[in-house]
């Protein structure tokens, strides 16, 4: 039975075990990495009775120097869950997390859509080598997240049917990589229709990787066959845009915003854009009929993006 000497480690492990039963696989894996990297090394052996709000506040204030507040709040989900269990057990009278003081978070605004910068990025993409060419095409033309770019596999692309199934991701927490057979949300798991102007590119990339003897697993693969890490995509993109005279305030994730903005600017309905980007909306897929309709809608979105890219590349 837990008592006043029971450590935070005991409750963290118990909370994670319960999460494995009730939570999504990739969510649990992420929380476990938070615990192993940030929480347990510093606080794991502290008895929960001694874990006052001042102890937690002091630890988090040290992290504020090198971590974003939003990130620390994610780590704190693990601590809060563990201490709530300790409170329920009667080991502590209240949860000290409730007394924590958080600094104000500055809301980050993405880079505003700019047609000239998009054209520069597309021109750059045509000139650079793999794997960043594929990463940029997937981010800007298909609106994939970094985790989706890194996780996309050749088995997800049907070159004959002309579809791309976004269903695998690679997420990162520090040096811990999670290669997952799942996406950020249920709606993020989506089937896209290949954009005609990029279909030939993917056929060529497939043939190129196969001829080079690569394992034919990840689409965005380095010459040695290993996949590109999310931080690798971020860092290489920053280096490339600086080298090519593109505004360095643009992040790789902004390519996803640009994709949505280009479609909206072209008059594509909001619901089609939501489906394309894998955003949640209040129309769940409930039948094969609806899935068929969604693929038909996806074909229209793909055609619209093809028109947009043609305008950019010929302007």
């Amino acid at each position: 039975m837990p008592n006043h000497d029971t450590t935070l480690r005991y409750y963290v492990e118990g909370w994670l075990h319960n999460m494995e039963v009730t939570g999504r696989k990739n969510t649990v894996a992420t929380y476990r990495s938070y615990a192993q990297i940030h929480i347990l090394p510093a606080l794991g052996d502290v008895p929960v009775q001694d874990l006052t709000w001042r102890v937690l506040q002091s630890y988090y204030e040290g992290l504020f120097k090198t971590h974003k507040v939003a990130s620390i709040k994610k780590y704190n989900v693990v601590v809060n869950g563990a201490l709530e269990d300790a409170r329920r057990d009667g080991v502590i009278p209240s949860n000290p997390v409730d007394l924590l003081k958080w600094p104000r978070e500055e809301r980050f605004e993405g880079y505003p859509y700019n047609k000239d910068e998009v054209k520069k990025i597309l021109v750059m993409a045509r000139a650079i080598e793999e794997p960043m060419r594929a990463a940029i095409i997937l981010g800007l033309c298909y609106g994939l997240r970094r985790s989706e770019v890194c996780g996309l596999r050749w088995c997800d692309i049907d070159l004959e049917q002309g579809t791309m199934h976004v269903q695998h991701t690679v997420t990162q927490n520090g040096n811990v990589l999670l290669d997952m057979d799942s996406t950020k949300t249920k709606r993020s798991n989506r089937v896209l229709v290949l954009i005609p102007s990029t279909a030939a590119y993917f056929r060529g990339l497939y043939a190129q990787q196969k001829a080079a003897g690569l394992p034919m697993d990840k689409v965005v693969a380095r010459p040695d066959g290993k996949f590109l890490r999310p931080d690798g995509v971020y860092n290489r993109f920053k280096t490339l845009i600086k080298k090519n005279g593109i505004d360095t305030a643009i992040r790789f994730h902004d390519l996803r915003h640009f994709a949505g903005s280009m479609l909206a600017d072209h008059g594509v309905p909001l619901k089609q854009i939501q489906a394309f980007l894998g955003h949640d909306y209040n129309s769940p897929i409930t039948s094969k009929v609806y899935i068929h309709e969604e693929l038909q809608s996806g074909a229209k979105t793909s055609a619209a993006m093809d028109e947009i890219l043609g305008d950019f590349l010929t302007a």
Side-chain angles (χ1 to χ4, degrees):
M1 284 291 294
N3 55 50
H4 295 307
D5 294 324
T6 303
T7 64
L8 180 65
R9 186 182 306 276
Y10 172 89
Y11 277 106
V12 166
E13 292 297 340
W15 183 79
L16 289 171
H17 175 74
N18 290 334
M19 282 291 292
E20 287 174 352
V21 177
T22 61
R24 295 173 66 247
K25 183 179 178 181
N26 58 336
T27 302
V28 176
T30 299
Y31 284 145
R32 187 168 289 281
S33 69
Y34 292 160
Q36 292 173 345
I37 296 172
H38 303 290
I39 305 303
L40 296 181
L43 302 172
D45 296 327
V46 179
V48 290
Q49 189 181 34
D50 297 337
L51 206 57
T52 65
W53 75 269
R54 290 185 183 278
V55 172
L56 289 175
Q57 189 80 43
S58 177
Y59 173 61
Y60 288 152
E61 285 178 357
L63 291 181
F64 288 150
K65 300 173 183 176
T66 54
H67 294 67
K68 294 179 180 178
V69 174
S71 297
I72 299 172
K73 285 185 175 180
K74 292 177 182 178
Y75 312 156
N76 187 60
V77 170
V78 179
V79 176
N80 183 62
L83 292 177
E84 271 299 297
D85 286 349
R87 183 189 63 78
R88 292 188 186 98
D89 283 343
V91 175
I92 55 177
S94 60
N95 188 340
V97 167
D98 296 337
L99 300 176
L100 291 175
K101 301 174 182 178
W102 297 97
R104 179 179 297 179
E105 293 181 67
E106 290 186 12
R107 185 176 177 180
F108 185 85
E109 297 292 338
Y111 193 92
Y113 173 52
N114 184 303
K115 290 184 178 181
D116 292 334
E117 296 294 346
V118 169
K119 181 172 176 58
K120 289 178 185 178
I121 293 170
L122 283 169
V123 170
M124 177 186 74
R126 287 186 295 170
I128 62 176
E129 297 180 352
E130 302 295 352
M132 280 306 296
R133 180 185 298 175
I136 290 173
I137 288 173
L138 290 168
L140 182 57
C141 302
Y142 289 89
L144 266 61
R145 302 174 175 91
R146 261 192 307 163
S147 60
E148 296 168 345
V149 167
C150 296
L152 187 70
R153 303 175 185 176
W154 280 115
C155 64
D156 299 328
I157 298 181
D158 189 328
L159 294 171
E160 294 299 320
Q161 295 296 320
T163 59
M164 176 189 298
H165 189 178
V166 182
Q167 59 179 332
H168 298 109
T169 57
V170 173
T171 59
Q172 183 173 359
N173 180 31
N175 287 319
V176 177
L177 296 173
L178 301 174
D179 194 352
M180 309 297 296
D181 295 328
S182 57
T183 51
K184 183 178 180 181
T185 65
K186 183 178 179 180
R187 194 66 194 159
S188 296
N189 187 319
R190 60 202 186 276
V191 176
L192 305 177
V193 176
L194 289 181
I195 301 165
S197 57
T198 67
Y201 162 75
F202 284 116
R203 292 192 188 94
L205 181 61
Y206 181 89
Q208 177 187 329
Q209 290 189 10
K210 193 169 184 178
L214 270 60
M216 305 310 296
D217 179 22
K218 297 294 195 295
V219 174
V220 181
R222 298 177 351 195
D224 60 4
K226 295 180 180 179
F227 64 83
L228 203 56
R229 294 161 40 129
D231 62 349
V233 171
Y234 177 89
N235 293 329
R236 291 190 186 203
F237 181 72
K238 282 297 186 183
T239 299
L240 284 169
I241 60 174
K242 183 177 181 180
K243 181 179 179 181
N244 286 272
I246 298 169
D247 193 336
T248 55
I250 298 174
R251 308 163 303 157
F252 186 85
H253 190 75
D254 287 320
L255 302 187
R256 175 173 164 82
H257 298 164
F258 291 166
S261 296
M262 286 190 289
L263 290 171
D265 201 40
H266 201 70
V268 175
L270 176 60
K271 194 169 183 178
Q272 283 182 221
I273 298 174
Q274 289 174 322
F276 186 72
L277 296 176
H279 283 167
D280 292 325
Y281 57 81
N282 297 323
S283 297
I285 299 175
T286 55
S287 68
K288 291 183 179 179
V289 173
Y290 188 83
I291 292 173
H292 175 69
E293 290 176 355
E294 183 160 274
L295 285 175
Q296 293 283 60
S297 175
K300 295 178 182 178
T301 308
S302 174
M305 184 61 87
D306 194 52
E307 290 181 18
I308 295 168
L309 296 177
D311 291 342
F312 274 113
L313 295 177
T314 57

